[in-house]
Amino acid sequence: MGAYFRTDFDEPAVPAELPMQLATGMNQALTIADQMVRGRGIVGRVTGDFGAVAVKVHGTGGPVRVTVSIGLDEVATRWWADRVRPSRTAPELPRVVAVRSQGRIRGGAVLARRQGWRGAAGAEATLSFDLAEGELNADGLLMVELGQTTPPEWAAGRLSTRPVVGLRINSIGVRAIDSVSAVTGPTGFSGCDFFVLQPGAGTVHRLTTDVVPSAPPLPLTPRNKLTKRRPARAAFKAVRAARRIVVRAKPYRPGPLAGVLAADLITGTPIAVEVAGDEIRLAAPPTGPVLLAAASPQPNLSWRVLEAK
Protein backbone atom coordinates (compact mmCIF):
# COMPACT_ATOMS: atom_id res chain seq x y z
CA MET A 1 0.00 0.00 0.00
CA GLY A 2 2.66 2.49 1.04
CA ALA A 3 4.63 1.89 -2.18
CA TYR A 4 2.06 3.83 -4.19
CA PHE A 5 0.01 5.93 -1.73
CA ARG A 6 1.07 8.11 1.17
CA THR A 7 -0.29 6.89 4.52
CA ASP A 8 0.23 7.69 8.19
CA PHE A 9 2.52 4.68 8.39
CA ASP A 10 4.99 6.06 5.84
CA GLU A 11 8.29 7.41 7.07
CA PRO A 12 8.98 11.15 6.61
CA ALA A 13 10.62 12.14 3.35
CA VAL A 14 14.40 12.43 3.60
CA PRO A 15 15.91 15.13 1.33
CA ALA A 16 18.46 13.80 -1.12
CA GLU A 17 21.94 15.26 -0.87
CA LEU A 18 23.82 16.70 -3.85
CA PRO A 19 25.02 15.24 -6.11
CA MET A 20 21.90 13.08 -6.52
CA GLN A 21 21.23 10.18 -8.87
CA LEU A 22 17.66 8.89 -8.52
CA ALA A 23 17.06 5.60 -10.35
CA THR A 24 14.19 4.04 -8.39
CA GLY A 25 10.71 5.12 -7.37
CA MET A 26 11.17 3.54 -3.96
CA ASN A 27 13.58 6.26 -2.78
CA GLN A 28 12.26 8.20 0.22
CA ALA A 29 13.22 11.49 -1.43
CA LEU A 30 10.52 10.91 -4.07
CA THR A 31 7.55 12.51 -2.31
CA ILE A 32 4.95 12.92 -5.10
CA ALA A 33 4.10 10.81 -8.14
CA ASP A 34 1.26 12.34 -10.19
CA GLN A 35 -0.17 10.01 -12.87
CA MET A 36 2.93 7.87 -12.41
CA VAL A 37 3.41 4.31 -11.22
CA ARG A 38 6.62 4.05 -9.25
CA GLY A 39 9.18 1.50 -10.31
CA ARG A 40 12.00 -0.35 -8.62
CA GLY A 41 14.52 -0.29 -11.47
CA ILE A 42 13.22 3.03 -12.84
CA VAL A 43 11.76 6.16 -11.27
CA GLY A 44 8.31 5.47 -12.70
CA ARG A 45 6.02 5.02 -15.67
CA VAL A 46 3.39 7.51 -16.89
CA THR A 47 -0.24 6.37 -16.76
CA GLY A 48 -1.99 9.43 -18.25
CA ASP A 49 -1.56 12.31 -20.68
CA PHE A 50 1.13 13.77 -18.43
CA GLY A 51 3.25 12.46 -15.61
CA ALA A 52 5.08 14.34 -12.88
CA VAL A 53 7.29 13.54 -9.91
CA ALA A 54 8.48 15.71 -7.03
CA VAL A 55 11.82 14.94 -5.40
CA LYS A 56 12.85 16.50 -2.11
CA VAL A 57 16.41 17.75 -2.58
CA HIS A 58 18.72 19.39 -0.07
CA GLY A 59 19.84 22.17 -2.40
CA THR A 60 22.31 24.94 -1.74
CA GLY A 61 20.29 27.74 -3.32
CA GLY A 62 22.82 27.96 -6.14
CA PRO A 63 22.46 26.77 -9.75
CA VAL A 64 22.19 23.05 -10.44
CA ARG A 65 22.34 20.81 -13.48
CA VAL A 66 19.40 18.41 -13.87
CA THR A 67 19.62 15.36 -16.14
CA VAL A 68 16.47 13.41 -17.01
CA SER A 69 16.49 10.08 -18.85
CA ILE A 70 13.28 9.03 -20.64
CA GLY A 71 12.53 5.60 -22.10
CA LEU A 72 10.13 4.00 -24.59
CA ASP A 73 9.85 0.21 -24.50
CA GLU A 74 7.46 -2.63 -25.32
CA VAL A 75 5.47 -2.15 -22.11
CA ALA A 76 5.01 1.56 -22.87
CA THR A 77 3.68 0.72 -26.33
CA ARG A 78 1.28 -1.89 -24.95
CA TRP A 79 -0.01 0.52 -22.29
CA TRP A 80 -0.60 3.10 -25.02
CA ALA A 81 -2.39 0.62 -27.29
CA ASP A 82 -4.65 -0.57 -24.45
CA ARG A 83 -5.82 3.00 -23.81
CA VAL A 84 -6.00 4.42 -27.33
CA ARG A 85 -7.28 1.24 -29.07
CA PRO A 86 -5.77 1.89 -32.52
CA SER A 87 -6.34 -0.16 -35.65
CA ARG A 88 -4.70 -3.59 -35.61
CA THR A 89 -2.81 -2.72 -38.78
CA ALA A 90 -1.54 0.66 -37.55
CA PRO A 91 2.25 1.04 -37.23
CA GLU A 92 3.90 2.43 -34.15
CA LEU A 93 4.48 6.19 -34.53
CA PRO A 94 7.21 8.39 -32.99
CA ARG A 95 6.54 10.04 -29.63
CA VAL A 96 7.31 13.75 -29.15
CA VAL A 97 7.22 15.00 -25.56
CA ALA A 98 8.03 18.16 -23.64
CA VAL A 99 10.01 18.20 -20.40
CA ARG A 100 8.93 20.72 -17.76
CA SER A 101 10.65 21.52 -14.46
CA GLN A 102 9.77 24.06 -11.77
CA GLY A 103 6.83 25.18 -13.90
CA ARG A 104 8.84 25.98 -17.05
CA ILE A 105 9.40 24.13 -20.32
CA ARG A 106 13.04 23.05 -20.35
CA GLY A 107 13.23 21.08 -23.60
CA GLY A 108 11.78 18.24 -25.62
CA ALA A 109 12.59 14.84 -27.06
CA VAL A 110 11.65 12.41 -29.82
CA LEU A 111 11.48 8.69 -29.15
CA ALA A 112 10.97 6.12 -31.91
CA ARG A 113 11.42 2.35 -31.87
CA ARG A 114 12.59 0.35 -34.88
CA GLN A 115 11.85 -3.27 -35.73
CA GLY A 116 14.54 -5.92 -35.27
CA TRP A 117 14.55 -9.54 -36.40
CA ARG A 118 13.23 -10.85 -33.07
CA GLY A 119 11.73 -7.77 -31.46
CA ALA A 120 11.68 -4.00 -31.47
CA ALA A 121 14.52 -2.20 -29.76
CA GLY A 122 13.71 0.33 -27.06
CA ALA A 123 14.40 4.05 -27.39
CA GLU A 124 15.92 6.40 -24.83
CA ALA A 125 16.48 10.15 -24.69
CA THR A 126 18.47 12.13 -22.13
CA LEU A 127 17.93 15.84 -21.54
CA SER A 128 20.14 18.06 -19.37
CA PHE A 129 19.15 21.56 -18.29
CA ASP A 130 20.13 24.07 -15.62
CA LEU A 131 18.10 25.59 -12.81
CA ALA A 132 19.21 29.11 -11.98
CA GLU A 133 20.12 30.36 -8.54
CA GLY A 134 17.13 30.27 -6.20
CA GLU A 135 15.07 27.79 -8.25
CA LEU A 136 16.07 24.92 -5.96
CA ASN A 137 16.75 25.99 -2.40
CA ALA A 138 17.51 24.02 0.76
CA ASP A 139 14.98 21.21 1.30
CA GLY A 140 13.18 22.31 -1.86
CA LEU A 141 11.11 20.22 -4.24
CA LEU A 142 12.45 19.39 -7.68
CA MET A 143 9.50 18.99 -10.05
CA VAL A 144 9.97 17.02 -13.28
CA GLU A 145 7.06 16.55 -15.67
CA LEU A 146 6.56 14.90 -19.06
CA GLY A 147 3.77 16.43 -21.12
CA GLN A 148 2.31 16.38 -24.60
CA THR A 149 2.58 19.24 -27.05
CA THR A 150 0.53 20.79 -29.85
CA PRO A 151 1.82 19.27 -33.11
CA PRO A 152 1.89 21.41 -36.26
CA GLU A 153 -0.68 20.70 -38.96
CA TRP A 154 1.87 19.10 -41.26
CA ALA A 155 2.69 16.50 -38.59
CA ALA A 156 -0.88 15.14 -38.47
CA GLY A 157 -0.82 11.37 -38.85
CA ARG A 158 2.96 11.22 -38.54
CA LEU A 159 3.25 11.49 -34.75
CA SER A 160 1.64 9.48 -31.98
CA THR A 161 -1.41 10.86 -30.23
CA ARG A 162 -1.27 10.89 -26.42
CA PRO A 163 2.51 10.46 -26.69
CA VAL A 164 3.29 10.45 -22.97
CA VAL A 165 1.21 7.39 -22.01
CA GLY A 166 3.45 4.54 -20.85
CA LEU A 167 6.76 6.40 -21.08
CA ARG A 168 9.36 5.72 -18.41
CA ILE A 169 11.40 8.16 -16.40
CA ASN A 170 14.52 6.05 -16.08
CA SER A 171 16.52 8.33 -13.83
CA ILE A 172 16.92 11.89 -12.57
CA GLY A 173 20.31 13.34 -11.71
CA VAL A 174 21.11 16.64 -9.98
CA ARG A 175 24.49 18.23 -9.31
CA ALA A 176 25.68 21.67 -8.27
CA ILE A 177 27.32 23.90 -10.90
CA ASP A 178 29.03 27.28 -10.94
CA SER A 179 27.00 28.92 -13.71
CA VAL A 180 24.10 28.06 -16.00
CA SER A 181 24.56 26.99 -19.62
CA ALA A 182 22.42 25.98 -22.58
CA VAL A 183 20.17 22.92 -22.60
CA THR A 184 21.73 19.79 -24.04
CA GLY A 185 19.48 17.15 -25.53
CA PRO A 186 19.88 13.84 -27.31
CA THR A 187 22.81 14.00 -29.74
CA GLY A 188 22.37 10.60 -31.38
CA PHE A 189 20.07 9.54 -34.20
CA SER A 190 16.38 10.00 -33.40
CA GLY A 191 15.21 6.79 -35.09
CA CYS A 192 12.78 8.70 -37.33
CA ASP A 193 12.50 11.72 -39.64
CA PHE A 194 11.94 14.10 -36.70
CA PHE A 195 14.36 15.89 -34.40
CA VAL A 196 14.06 18.43 -31.57
CA LEU A 197 16.38 21.42 -31.22
CA GLN A 198 16.68 22.51 -27.61
CA PRO A 199 16.20 26.08 -26.29
CA GLY A 200 19.31 28.20 -26.67
CA ALA A 201 20.68 26.19 -29.59
CA GLY A 202 22.61 27.97 -32.33
CA THR A 203 21.25 29.07 -35.67
CA VAL A 204 23.30 26.81 -37.96
CA HIS A 205 23.09 23.02 -37.76
CA ARG A 206 24.18 20.06 -39.83
CA LEU A 207 21.81 17.22 -40.66
CA THR A 208 22.95 13.62 -40.93
CA THR A 209 20.57 10.85 -41.98
CA ASP A 210 20.73 7.08 -41.77
CA VAL A 211 18.48 4.35 -43.14
CA VAL A 212 16.59 2.39 -40.46
CA PRO A 213 14.03 -0.45 -40.45
CA SER A 214 10.33 0.31 -40.36
CA ALA A 215 8.41 0.85 -37.14
CA PRO A 216 7.13 -2.33 -35.44
CA PRO A 217 3.48 -3.38 -35.51
CA LEU A 218 1.57 -2.37 -32.41
CA PRO A 219 1.03 -4.96 -29.66
CA LEU A 220 -2.68 -5.27 -28.91
CA THR A 221 -4.22 -6.91 -25.86
CA PRO A 222 -7.18 -9.27 -26.54
CA ARG A 223 -10.44 -7.34 -26.16
CA ASN A 224 -13.24 -9.92 -25.92
CA LYS A 225 -13.93 -13.39 -24.51
CA LEU A 226 -13.11 -15.18 -27.75
CA THR A 227 -9.75 -13.51 -28.34
CA LYS A 228 -8.78 -13.89 -24.67
CA ARG A 229 -8.81 -17.68 -24.95
CA ARG A 230 -5.45 -19.40 -25.07
CA PRO A 231 -5.65 -20.76 -28.66
CA ALA A 232 -6.65 -17.36 -30.02
CA ARG A 233 -3.90 -15.61 -28.08
CA ALA A 234 -1.34 -18.09 -29.38
CA ALA A 235 -2.54 -17.46 -32.94
CA PHE A 236 -2.33 -13.67 -32.49
CA LYS A 237 1.18 -14.03 -31.10
CA ALA A 238 2.28 -16.10 -34.09
CA VAL A 239 0.73 -13.62 -36.54
CA ARG A 240 2.45 -10.70 -34.86
CA ALA A 241 5.80 -12.51 -34.92
CA ALA A 242 5.32 -13.11 -38.65
CA ARG A 243 4.44 -9.44 -39.18
CA ARG A 244 7.63 -8.42 -37.36
CA ILE A 245 9.74 -10.55 -39.71
CA VAL A 246 7.96 -9.15 -42.77
CA VAL A 247 8.47 -5.58 -41.54
CA ARG A 248 12.15 -6.20 -40.81
CA ALA A 249 12.81 -7.96 -44.12
CA LYS A 250 11.14 -5.26 -46.22
CA PRO A 251 13.69 -3.27 -48.29
CA TYR A 252 14.13 0.38 -47.36
CA ARG A 253 14.40 2.99 -50.08
CA PRO A 254 13.71 6.35 -48.42
CA GLY A 255 15.04 8.38 -51.33
CA PRO A 256 16.69 11.82 -51.14
CA LEU A 257 15.68 14.38 -48.54
CA ALA A 258 12.70 16.35 -49.87
CA GLY A 259 13.08 19.34 -47.56
CA VAL A 260 12.89 20.42 -43.93
CA LEU A 261 9.98 21.86 -41.94
CA ALA A 262 10.21 23.47 -38.51
CA ALA A 263 7.70 24.48 -35.85
CA ASP A 264 7.58 25.57 -32.24
CA LEU A 265 7.31 22.33 -30.26
CA ILE A 266 4.88 23.77 -27.71
CA THR A 267 2.49 25.82 -29.85
CA GLY A 268 2.94 24.26 -33.30
CA THR A 269 3.64 27.68 -34.85
CA PRO A 270 5.66 27.34 -38.08
CA ILE A 271 9.27 28.55 -38.01
CA ALA A 272 11.15 29.59 -41.14
CA VAL A 273 14.29 27.60 -41.97
CA GLU A 274 16.78 27.66 -44.82
CA VAL A 275 18.30 24.44 -46.12
CA ALA A 276 21.48 24.24 -48.18
CA GLY A 277 22.80 20.73 -48.65
CA ASP A 278 23.14 19.24 -45.17
CA GLU A 279 23.01 22.65 -43.48
CA ILE A 280 19.90 23.90 -41.65
CA ARG A 281 19.81 27.58 -40.75
CA LEU A 282 17.39 29.34 -38.40
CA ALA A 283 16.75 33.08 -38.49
CA ALA A 284 17.45 33.43 -34.74
CA PRO A 285 18.47 31.21 -31.81
CA PRO A 286 15.39 29.36 -30.53
CA THR A 287 13.99 30.48 -27.19
CA GLY A 288 12.02 27.24 -26.86
CA PRO A 289 12.28 23.71 -28.26
CA VAL A 290 11.90 23.47 -32.05
CA LEU A 291 10.56 20.44 -33.91
CA LEU A 292 12.29 19.63 -37.20
CA ALA A 293 10.95 17.13 -39.72
CA ALA A 294 11.18 16.02 -43.32
CA ALA A 295 8.87 17.99 -45.59
CA SER A 296 7.35 14.72 -46.80
CA PRO A 297 7.15 11.53 -44.70
CA GLN A 298 10.29 9.39 -44.85
CA PRO A 299 9.73 6.89 -42.02
CA ASN A 300 12.82 4.85 -42.91
CA LEU A 301 15.17 7.78 -42.33
CA SER A 302 16.71 8.50 -38.94
CA TRP A 303 17.84 12.08 -38.27
CA ARG A 304 20.75 13.47 -36.34
CA VAL A 305 21.11 17.26 -36.10
CA LEU A 306 24.21 18.78 -34.51
CA GLU A 307 25.19 22.41 -34.15
CA ALA A 308 27.71 23.44 -36.80
CA LYS A 309 31.13 24.33 -35.44
Side-chain angles (χ1 to χ4, degrees), residues 77 80 86-94 157 160 214-218 243 247 299:
T77 305
W80 180 90
S87 167
R88 291 191 178 275
T89 59
E92 187 175 326
L93 296 176
S160 174
S214 298
L218 287 169
R243 288 179 61 198
V247 168

Side-chain angles (χ1 to χ4, degrees), residues 148-165:
Q148 60 186 11
T149 65
T150 302
E153 294 182 359
W154 46 260
R158 298 175 59 183
L159 294 174
S160 174
T161 59
R162 304 185 65 185
V164 183
V165 174

